[in-house]
């Protein structure tokens, strides 16, 4: 799984940066466009344990709120404090400076249930991509 | 634009001179640790400054008195001026709420009369006037349901079923009442899908909340079947009566089989919305739920009225007896209408909505078919091809000299525009609005970039809502400058 | 009969023709399938309708059966206060552009109310010494309950400590609001009119979501909160103060006591006694709780031309967007009364508010010292300072004195037995505001003296 990025049908991405048990989570380019201007991100408390698929954060635009689900189960070990003061980062750089939180994952096997780049692109082009 | 009070404040300026004494008397006699040390940063203005400020602000605001307000689900009807006199009667306006019932017989009689009239109109055996708003009524009804099941030792009913087309207050009230929410998806016609309801109902279901007519302005064709299904499951039926204006005097929630209903006096009963409140949300219940109504209750014995707090009650949900001055207006309205007027209100609400619906056909597609109730929903989704949203059309409607319809609700209709004319608007107004609406939709197709720039004729153009939400400024910075 | 329907007969005919209907009754077909077996309702109890004159006669005659302040001089508070209200207040608040408008969801057509709400939020935040305030809640009791819910959500804890100094009916409202949650309410007793420090110290712990204090207390005493903020914060809980806004013109504010959230009943700010409502719930908070607090918020921004303007903001917290995940179900609030309070505060200004508050303080102390000279009458909690309310112990049942005073056109202090139990049967909660005259005070004291001494 090295540094590959994987995706959920609900438009989260997850990726490890060196430490295979510690994964970073964000939303995709498609999602940030759908959400439009992000005005606030309600991040989880560090130490919170979440199963795969559980709601773990909420992203707000001016007129809507979007649930963010955990791509894999685990414990929240870090949150991106800079998006609290500058939520526009999620729009500007969703795969980089606009990441949301990091998980220490419980079960590496869950990785296999996620979409790879090709699978996610296929989902988007099929036009059946559900919103958040 | 009008500067804020603090931007206009002039140190040393004096407004009204109230009764009182120089504050130094307090300062010399009250211990230091109890006194306010930080300065009191309130504006300093003359009385005329204040009068001009708020008069000018009123000019920047649209009300039913100044504009047609086709705002769906809000029933923005005319608020009769005579009702403004009732809260001015000294016997009500200046009555202290903590006086023994002997000192408030006129108030208790009036409120008791309103309870009885609403009981008749709703087909319910008992009514509470305590809730301060519709959502407060929902919470009240939900807590009553909780107590009811507890009283029967039935602790497994933890779930409330709510259609996806419901007002957001329904699920929010359910959550506040400690229930989990299960959403009922709508069928193709926008109504509750019987199969989904069947599947969702279980021994865990405490309550099913239905809006009648639905937020699409449609009377569910299978309503009586749904009621029977819910009853068979042992759950209670709650009616969100926000749309009471469609059927007041024509149909009674109690007769349909509902156990609990709330209405909004600031909608159907013509009490003014006041820019967001005060409202009032009376709740009616069937006899088996009456013991759980919030305290205090008004009791009539002979010609004497008193207040009681039954042990079975859910307890008080607010201070004192209710939003009396709002409720008295509602009572006045019903008394003025009488039996015939009440029916005419609902019939003409149906007529106006259907007339406007017919006049607008061919502009934007409607969700639903056939006659509508007191309101109807159009979808501006097809204007998405022009890069436009319902919210853009709303701004053009403001420019044409109206308030805008409700947009982005109900959530199940993409780019919804919900239109409710109410019975108090004339045919002439509806004709003019229909003509203007048609032109606006044509313009949206022919010149979408112009619509993106609307409104142009309002005191301000579109505010930057993104920066307002990213970095909220909720108090006037000028109020801190003075410190 | 009036029904406010503007249609002429011929217009109704034209409208029905467009719809292809014979009569307006044909519209009943919209719910033919949901018509119950019982058929159309019997509306006879609604009567034949009334004209304006008959209507006003009906209400005036009912109003005459109430002992309002025009017929009984008010020496009673206990959550509802008889204050001076300038004439300009109703003249401005009654303007149709405000009265008949809706929640300002379309900002371009609602700048007047949006700015007024923003100014109201500012005035309340400054008065309470907090960073921000919301656009209003229903009343003081529900504002307090909502503040408690903020603390429960914020801390995810299950014990709520309420000072005995909080109005017992407000405490009941909090319990009703918490009915569906697994939260336990514990009352921290008053000692000599102030929250017992030893009891509070014992109860604060790792499960405590918040402590709520009141000042002045329900009994009128000024409570003191040195160190309470630190005590709560060290234990991870929140500190909430419920305070009377009238007294805050002179009294130490919740912000100065270090509160995280503050609530109040806005009725003393220019609202009449109103037979108990509608009133005005006040909620203010430190900035860090901005996204936790319920209710609408107006914010400052700019339009496309860069002009100062106002919008409802942070709406994604609210029920119409978050639905069951919203931080409250509140939708309609008390905007018009917030406007009323704002107009009142603007007309009086800081000096006027201080003067009125000092008048209340002074009149209440005058009344108290005169009543205490009557044999058998004593002040309960003599060691605590009070603001404009105080409790007296009488040599007989307070209900008897109350009835006697009412017969003499005086709404005297509130007999406390019914609210606080039989041990309080001889105790009475008195209040005097800035509007009470020397003559009214003197006459009342003489009637009490005469009744008690003979």
């Amino acid at each position: 799984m090295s540094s590959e990025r994987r995706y959920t049908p609900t438009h989260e991405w997850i990726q490890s940066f060196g430490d295979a048990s510690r994964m970073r989570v964000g939303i995709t380019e498609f999602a940030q466009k759908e959400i439009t201007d992000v005005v606030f991100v309600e991040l989880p408390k560090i130490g919170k344990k979440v199963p795969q698929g559980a709601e773990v954060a909420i992203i707000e635009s001016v007129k809507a709120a979007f649930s963010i689900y955990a791509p894999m189960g685990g414990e929240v070990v870090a949150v991106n404090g800079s998006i609290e003061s500058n939520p526009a980062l999620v729009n500007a750089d969703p795969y980089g400076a606009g990441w949301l939180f990091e998980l220490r994952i419980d079960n590496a096997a869950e990785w296999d249930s996620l979409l790879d780049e090709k699978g996610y692109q296929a989902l988007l082009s099929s036009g059946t991509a559900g919103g958040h | 634009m009008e500067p804020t009070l603090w931007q206009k404040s002039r140190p040393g300026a004096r407004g009204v001179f109230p009764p009182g004494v120089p504050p130094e008397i307090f300062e010399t006699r009250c211990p230091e640790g109890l006194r306010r040390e930080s300065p009191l940063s309130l504006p300093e203005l003359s009385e005329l400054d204040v009068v001009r400020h708020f008069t000018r602000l009123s000019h920047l605001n649209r009300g039913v008195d100044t504009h047609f307000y086709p705002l769906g689900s809000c029933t923005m009807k005319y608020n009769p001026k005579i009702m403004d006199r009732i809260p001015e009667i000294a016997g009500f306006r200046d009555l202290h709420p903590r006086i023994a019932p002997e000192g408030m017989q006129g108030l208790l009689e009036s409120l008791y009369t309103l309870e009885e009239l609403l009981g008749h109109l709703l087909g319910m055996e008992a009514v509470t006037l305590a809730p301060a708003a519709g959502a407060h009524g929902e919470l009240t009804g939900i807590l009553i349901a909780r107590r009811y099941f507890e009283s029967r030792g039935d602790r497994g009913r933890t779930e409330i079923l709510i259609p996806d087309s419901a007002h957001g207050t329904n699920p929010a009230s359910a959550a506040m009442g400690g229930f989990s929410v299960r959403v009922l998806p709508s069928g193709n016609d926008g109504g509750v899908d019987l199969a989904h309801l069947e599947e969702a109902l279980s021994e865990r279901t405490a309550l099913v909340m239905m809006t009648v007519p639905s937020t699409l302005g449609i009377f569910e064709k299978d309503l009586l079947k749904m009621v029977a299904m819910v009853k068979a499951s042992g759950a209670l039926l709650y009616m969100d009566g926000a749309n009471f204006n469609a059927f007041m005097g024509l149909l009674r929630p109690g007769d349909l089989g509902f156990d609990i209903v709330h209405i909004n006096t600031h909608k159907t009963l013509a009490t003014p919305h006041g820019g967001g409140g005060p409202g009032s949300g009376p709740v009616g219940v069937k006899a088996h739920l009456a013991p759980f109504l919030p305290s205090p209750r008004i009791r009539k014995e002979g010609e004497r009225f008193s207040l009681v707090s039954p042990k079975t009650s859910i307890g008080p949900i607010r201070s004192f007896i209710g939003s009396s001055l709002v409720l008295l207006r509602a009572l006045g309205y019903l008394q003025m209408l009488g039996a015939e007027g009440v029916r005419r209100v609902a019939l003409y609400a149906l007529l106006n909505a259907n007339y406007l619906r017919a006049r607008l056909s061919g502009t934007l597609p409607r969700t639903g078919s056939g006659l509508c109730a007191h309101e109807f929903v159009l979808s501006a989704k097809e204007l998405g091809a022009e890069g436009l949203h319902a919210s853009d059309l709303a701004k053009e409607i403001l420019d044409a000299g109206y308030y805008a319809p409700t947009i982005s609700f109900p959530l199940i209709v993409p780019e919804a525009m919900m239109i409710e004319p109410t019975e108090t608007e004339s045919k002439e107004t509806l004709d003019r609005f229909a003509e203007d609406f048609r032109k606006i939709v044509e313009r949206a197709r022919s010149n979408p970039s112009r619509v993106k720039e609307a409104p142009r004729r309002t005191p301000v153009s579109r505010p930057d809502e993104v920066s307002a939400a990213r970095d909220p400024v909720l108090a006037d910075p000028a109020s801190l400058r003075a410190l | 009969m009036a029904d406010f329907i503007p249609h002429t007969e011929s217009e109704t005919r034209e409208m029905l023709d467009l719809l292809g209907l014979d009569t307006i009754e044909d519209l009943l077909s919209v719910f033919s399938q949901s018509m119950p077996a019982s058929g159309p309702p019997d509306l006879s109890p609604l009567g034949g309708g009334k004209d304006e004159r008959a209507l006003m006669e009906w209400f005036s005659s009912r109003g005459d059966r109430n002992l309002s302040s025009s017929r009984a001089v008010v020496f009673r508070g206990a959550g509802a206060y008889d204050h001076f209200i300038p004439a300009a207040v109703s003249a401005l608040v009654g303007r149709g552009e405000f009265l008949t408008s809706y929640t300002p969801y379309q900002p371009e057509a609602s700048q007047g109310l949006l700015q007024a709400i923003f100014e109201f939020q500012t005035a309340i935040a400054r008065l309470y010494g907090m960073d921000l305030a919301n656009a209003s809640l229903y009343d003081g009791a529900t504002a307090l309950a909502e503040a408690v819910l903020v603390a429960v959500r914020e801390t995810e804890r299950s014990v709520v400590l309420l000072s005995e100094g909080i109005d017992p009916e407000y405490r009941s409202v909090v319990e009703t609001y918490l009915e569906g949650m697994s939260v336990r309410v514990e009352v921290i007793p008053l000692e000599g009119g102030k929250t017992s420090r030893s009891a509070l110290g014992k109860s604060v712990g790792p499960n405590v979501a918040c402590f709520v204090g009141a000042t002045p207390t329900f009994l009128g005493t000024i409570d003191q909160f040195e160190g309470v903020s630190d005590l709560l914060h060290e234990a991870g809980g929140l500190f909430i103060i419920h305070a009377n806004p009238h007294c805050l013109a002179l009294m130490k504010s919740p912000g100065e006591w270090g509160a995280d959230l503050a609530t109040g009943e806005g009725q003393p700010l220019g609202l009449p006694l109103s037979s108990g409502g509608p009133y005005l719930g006040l909620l203010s908070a430190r900035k860090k709780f901005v996204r936790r607090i319920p209710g609408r918020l107006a914010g400052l921004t700019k339009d496309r031309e860069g002009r100062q303007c106002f919008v409802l903001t942070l709406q994604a917290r609210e029920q119409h967007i978050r639905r069951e995940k919203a931080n409250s179900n509140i939708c309609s609030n008390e905007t018009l009364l917030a406007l009323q309070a704002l107009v009142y505060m603007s007309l009086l200004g800081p000096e006027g508010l201080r003067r009125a508050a000092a008048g209340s303080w002074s009149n209440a102390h005058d009344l108290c010292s005169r009543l205490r000279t009557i044999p058998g009458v004593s002040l309960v909690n003599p060691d605590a300072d009070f603001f404009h309310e105080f409790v007296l112990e009488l040599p007989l049942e307070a209900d008897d004195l109350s009835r006697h005073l009412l017969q003499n056109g005086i709404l005297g202090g509130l007999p406390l037995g019914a609210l606080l139990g039989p041990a309080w049967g001889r105790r009475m909660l008195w209040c005097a505001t800035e509007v009470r005259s020397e003559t009214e005070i003197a006459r009342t004291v003489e009637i009490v003296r005469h009744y008690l001494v003979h």
Side-chain angles (χ1 to χ4, degrees):
Chain A
M1 50 209 247
S2 66
S3 66
E4 186 196 347
R5 192 157 68 207
R6 288 217 170 169
Y7 305 88
T8 65
T10 47
H11 311 288
E12 291 89 5
W13 57 259
I14 184 163
Q15 186 175 12
S16 105
F17 291 87
D19 176 354
S21 68
R22 188 181 170 112
M23 309 282 269
R24 185 170 280 191
V25 178
I27 62 166
T28 67
E29 174 67 18
F30 173 84
Q32 74 80 13
K33 273 195 184 140
E34 286 283 298
I35 291 170
T36 71
D37 296 307
V38 172
V39 298
F40 178 66
V41 184
E42 189 175 315
L43 291 166
K45 283 188 179 161
I46 288 175
K48 185 181 169 116
K49 293 190 170 68
V50 285
Q52 186 180 30
E55 182 185 284
V56 58
I58 294 177
I59 295 187
E60 291 181 359
S61 67
V62 168
K63 295 276 162 72
F66 304 84
S67 297
I68 304 303
Y69 304 98
M72 298 173 75
E75 181 184 335
V76 176
V77 289
V79 296
N80 184 1
S82 57
I83 58 173
E84 286 182 336
S85 52
N86 186 9
L89 284 175
V90 179
N91 293 115
D93 191 9
Y95 298 115
W99 64 278
L100 303 180
F101 53 88
E102 289 181 352
L103 292 173
R104 181 164 305 282
I105 58 161
D106 293 334
N107 179 4
E110 285 172 357
W111 178 260
D112 297 327
S113 65
L114 300 167
L115 296 164
D116 61 12
E117 183 73 36
K118 210 170 130 193
Y120 183 64
Q121 290 306 327
L123 176 83
L124 293 183
S125 55
S126 73
T128 57
H132 262 82
Chain B
M1 281 305 296
E2 174 72 3
T4 67
L5 289 165
W6 284 264
Q7 287 167 339
K8 294 167 95 169
S9 176
R10 295 173 291 118
R14 290 294 176 95
V16 170
F17 186 71
V21 299
E24 292 70 33
I25 292 177
F26 171 82
E27 276 152 14
T28 52
R29 285 166 56 188
C30 179
E32 200 173 341
L34 306 181
R35 301 198 310 247
R36 186 181 184 105
E37 284 158 34
S38 59
L40 186 56
S41 177
L42 290 171
E44 296 172 78
L45 297 161
S46 74
E47 181 166 340
L48 179 56
D49 289 337
V50 174
V51 168
R52 291 225 173 109
H53 178 76
F54 288 101
T55 304
R56 172 93 178 111
L57 289 191
S58 77
H59 294 163
L60 303 177
N61 219 59
R62 293 184 184 179
V64 175
D65 280 5
T66 59
H67 291 77
F68 176 40
Y69 237 91
L71 196 67
S73 97
C74 301
T75 314
M76 296 298 286
K77 60 168 73 175
Y78 171 61
N79 308 134
K81 295 296 165 194
I82 183 66
M83 307 312 164
D84 295 350
R85 294 270 186 91
I86 297 172
E88 293 299 316
I89 296 171
F92 295 112
R93 184 193 57 204
D94 301 328
L95 178 63
H96 196 288
R98 285 212 208 255
I99 191 168
E102 298 77 60
M104 51 162 74
Q105 287 296 299
L107 175 71
L108 295 179
E109 182 191 347
S110 302
L111 297 181
Y112 188 87
T113 306
L114 180 58
E115 284 186 2
E116 294 225 297
L117 290 182
L118 290 177
H120 282 297
L121 284 169
L122 297 171
M124 293 291 178
E125 274 97 26
V127 172
T128 172
L129 304 175
H136 206 209
E138 292 172 18
L139 177 63
T140 303
I142 285 164
L143 294 176
I144 287 170
R146 170 175 280 279
R147 272 292 171 93
Y148 168 75
F149 287 116
E150 272 174 19
S151 76
R152 296 160 58 94
D154 187 349
R155 290 174 191 276
R157 296 191 181 266
T158 55
E159 203 169 75
I160 295 184
L161 308 187
I162 300 171
D164 55 5
S165 59
H167 299 110
T169 49
N170 289 187
S173 301
M176 268 179 103
F179 288 91
S180 60
V181 173
R182 180 154 175 184
V183 177
L184 293 173
S186 298
N188 291 333
D189 61 353
V192 172
D193 186 275
L194 284 182
H196 281 131
L197 177 63
E198 173 102 68
E199 190 210 317
L201 281 169
S202 73
E203 71 286 352
R204 288 188 308 279
T205 314
L207 201 63
V208 179
M209 295 180 86
M210 308 259 298
T211 305
V212 181
S214 76
T215 57
L216 291 171
I218 293 170
F219 278 95
E220 308 263 0
K221 62 180 192 305
D222 295 321
L223 187 62
L224 294 178
K225 274 187 213 157
M226 290 177 207
V227 168
M229 283 164 64
V230 175
K231 297 248 153 195
S233 77
L236 294 174
L237 263 160
Y238 185 104
M239 185 195 284
D240 178 335
N243 295 339
F244 188 38
N245 214 44
F247 61 89
M248 176 170 67
L250 304 178
L251 202 65
R252 309 197 307 168
D255 296 342
L256 291 172
F258 284 87
D259 301 287
I260 311 172
V261 59
H262 88 262
I263 59 157
N264 308 63
T265 63
H266 45 292
K267 296 183 181 181
T268 311
L269 302 184
T271 69
H273 272 73
S280 182
V283 171
V285 297
K286 289 281 179 60
H288 58 287
L289 299 176
F292 310 108
L293 288 169
S295 57
R297 301 281 305 138
I298 304 171
R299 183 193 283 164
K300 184 181 185 189
E301 286 158 311
E303 290 309 302
R304 195 182 163 278
F305 298 88
S306 58
L307 290 173
V308 293
S309 296
K311 284 211 157 45
T312 49
S313 161
I314 61 167
I317 52 153
R318 59 167 303 151
S319 49
F320 310 123
I321 193 169
S323 296
S324 308
L325 299 189
V326 174
L327 294 162
L328 295 173
R329 285 174 183 264
L331 174 61
Y333 180 69
L334 285 176
Q335 289 189 331
M336 195 164 216
L337 292 177
E340 185 49 30
V342 159
R343 265 190 110 242
R344 277 169 57 86
V345 161
L347 284 171
Y348 277 83
L350 297 174
L351 177 65
N352 272 5
N354 277 288
Y355 179 74
L356 189 56
R357 172 188 60 75
R359 289 293 315 260
L360 291 181
S361 74
T363 55
L364 292 173
R366 174 186 165 216
T367 306
S369 59
L371 290 176
C372 63
H374 67 310
E375 63 190 354
F376 56 92
V377 177
L378 304 181
S379 169
K381 189 184 174 193
E382 63 188 43
L383 296 176
E386 276 32 271
L388 292 178
H389 297 279
S391 53
D392 296 311
L393 282 194
K395 305 302 180 195
E396 277 286 328
I397 294 171
L398 296 180
D399 259 356
Y402 308 98
Y403 203 79
T406 296
I407 51 164
S408 312
F409 184 82
L411 303 178
I412 57 168
V413 177
E415 301 296 336
M417 302 196 84
M418 189 186 211
I419 299 174
E420 179 183 10
T422 82
E423 76 283 1
T424 59
E425 295 299 334
S426 67
K427 174 176 177 292
E428 188 189 2
T429 300
L430 303 183
D431 285 340
R432 186 162 46 82
F433 178 77
E435 218 166 282
D436 287 335
F437 190 89
R438 192 171 294 280
K439 280 186 210 151
I440 286 166
V441 173
E442 279 164 18
R443 190 177 306 138
R445 293 203 168 95
S446 63
N447 193 354
S449 58
R450 197 193 124 135
V451 173
K452 273 278 175 207
E453 280 158 30
R456 295 177 185 76
R457 296 178 189 168
T458 47
V460 298
S461 60
R462 294 191 198 188
D464 180 352
E465 300 195 53
V466 172
S467 62
R470 279 185 178 161
D471 189 14
V473 180
L474 306 174
D476 191 350
S479 70
L480 294 174
R481 221 172 289 145
L483 300 183
Chain C
M1 185 264 295
D3 53 23
F4 314 101
I5 294 167
H7 306 51
T8 65
E9 264 181 52
S10 64
E11 284 167 346
T12 301
R13 183 68 262 152
E14 283 176 59
M15 294 170 82
L16 289 168
D17 286 346
L18 182 81
L19 296 170
L21 300 175
D22 280 342
T23 78
I24 196 163
E25 301 286 329
D26 291 347
L27 285 161
L28 293 173
S29 67
V30 290
F31 42 74
S32 57
Q33 280 159 304
S34 40
M35 189 52 94
S38 53
D42 167 24
L43 297 176
S44 57
L46 280 134
K50 283 187 168 62
D51 63 30
E52 289 197 3
R53 208 181 118 85
L55 189 73
M56 288 312 288
E57 272 173 12
W58 194 93
F59 279 100
S60 298
S61 71
R62 270 50 180 196
D64 288 345
R65 291 179 212 163
N66 297 327
L67 288 177
S68 65
S69 65
S70 53
R71 295 174 59 205
V73 183
V74 179
F75 284 99
R76 188 169 292 187
Y81 301 88
D82 185 20
H83 289 296
F84 161 72
I85 303 174
V89 170
S90 59
L92 293 167
V93 173
R95 293 184 64 89
E97 298 91 333
F98 293 134
L99 187 67
T100 68
S101 67
Y102 188 70
T103 305
Y105 287 129
Q106 291 288 342
E108 299 89 344
S110 315
Q111 281 299 301
L113 264 172
L114 282 165
Q115 180 166 340
I117 294 170
F118 178 79
E119 292 173 346
F120 168 77
Q121 291 170 183
T122 307
I124 296 304
R126 296 294 88 91
L127 191 55
Y128 279 77
M130 305 297 277
D131 296 326
L132 53 95
N134 76 2
S136 76
L137 297 168
Y138 305 136
D139 64 8
T142 63
L144 180 63
E146 291 272 17
V148 166
L149 290 177
V150 170
V152 168
R153 274 192 304 270
E154 173 73 17
T155 61
E156 297 175 3
R157 293 176 175 192
S158 60
V159 177
V160 168
L161 309 179
L162 301 182
S163 165
E164 193 190 4
I166 296 167
D167 182 332
E169 294 194 344
Y170 280 34
R171 283 189 259 135
S172 300
V173 172
V174 172
E175 301 218 5
T176 308
Y177 263 64
L178 292 173
E179 173 113 16
M181 314 199 173
S182 310
V183 175
R184 183 169 59 83
V185 173
E186 195 181 312
V187 175
I188 307 296
L190 291 180
E191 246 172 35
K194 294 175 200 168
T195 302
S196 160
R197 276 316 171 73
S198 57
L200 181 61
K202 273 185 212 134
S203 292
V204 169
N207 293 325
V208 168
C210 62
F211 163 71
V212 191
T215 190
T217 67
F218 181 68
L219 304 178
T221 52
I222 303 179
D223 206 345
Q224 284 167 280
F225 302 110
E226 278 102 1
V228 173
S229 167
D230 290 343
L231 178 69
L232 266 295
H233 292 162
E234 278 158 24
L238 303 191
F239 176 33
I240 303 171
I241 294 181
H242 183 83
N244 182 323
H246 176 76
C247 310
L248 289 181
L250 296 172
M251 219 175 61
K252 197 159 180 161
S253 69
E256 289 172 297
W257 286 121
D260 298 294
L261 295 155
T263 60
E265 169 53 67
Q267 184 271 335
L269 299 174
L271 274 57
L273 290 164
S274 310
S275 301
Y279 280 1
L280 172 63
L282 308 177
L283 176 69
S284 53
R286 301 279 178 201
K287 196 171 182 186
K288 65 191 261 206
F289 300 107
V290 62
R291 290 173 195 273
R292 287 277 179 199
I293 61 170
R296 295 184 185 129
L297 294 165
L300 176 69
T301 188
K302 288 188 160 57
D303 77 353
R304 286 182 173 178
E305 280 69 42
R307 293 174 290 202
Q308 164 176 301
C309 66
F310 304 89
V311 287
L312 288 181
T313 192
L314 306 189
Q315 290 190 58
R317 303 166 298 122
E318 294 184 64
Q319 50 75 27
H320 61 288
I321 293 173
R322 288 242 185 146
R323 301 176 78 84
E324 66 270 25
K325 290 175 198 152
N327 52 20
S328 168
N329 68 340
I330 191 164
C331 182
S332 283
N333 59 14
E334 307 293 310
T335 300
L336 195 76
L337 305 171
L339 172 69
Q340 192 158 346
L342 175 67
V343 174
Y344 168 86
M345 288 185 277
S346 317
L347 285 166
L348 266 67
E351 278 317 298
L353 282 175
R354 281 155 49 82
R355 181 182 159 77
S360 296
W361 186 87
S362 168
N363 276 343
H365 284 75
D366 183 24
L367 175 69
C368 180
S369 54
R370 292 201 208 187
L371 287 170
R372 283 175 78 183
T373 63
I374 300 169
V377 174
S378 62
L379 179 64
V380 176
N381 300 319
D383 296 330
D385 288 279
F386 65 90
F387 198 89
H388 60 344
E389 290 181 273
F390 53 90
V391 177
L392 293 184
E393 176 99 29
L394 308 171
L396 46 68
E397 289 302 301
D399 280 324
D400 297 339
L401 175 60
S402 182
R403 260 192 299 277
H404 177 73
L405 287 168
L406 213 47
Q407 284 160 10
N408 285 278
I410 295 163
L411 181 62
L414 179 73
L416 290 171
L419 270 176
L420 301 179
W424 292 75
R426 295 188 163 197
R427 291 177 172 186
M428 214 173 198
L429 175 62
W430 286 84
C431 175
T433 63
E434 81 282 6
V435 295
R436 293 287 72 87
S437 68
E438 152 72 26
T439 322
E440 288 166 340
I441 291 172
R443 176 172 172 261
T444 302
V445 171
E446 277 325 295
I447 291 172
V448 174
R449 183 189 305 278
H450 194 260
Y451 185 74
L452 295 183
V453 173
H454 292 89

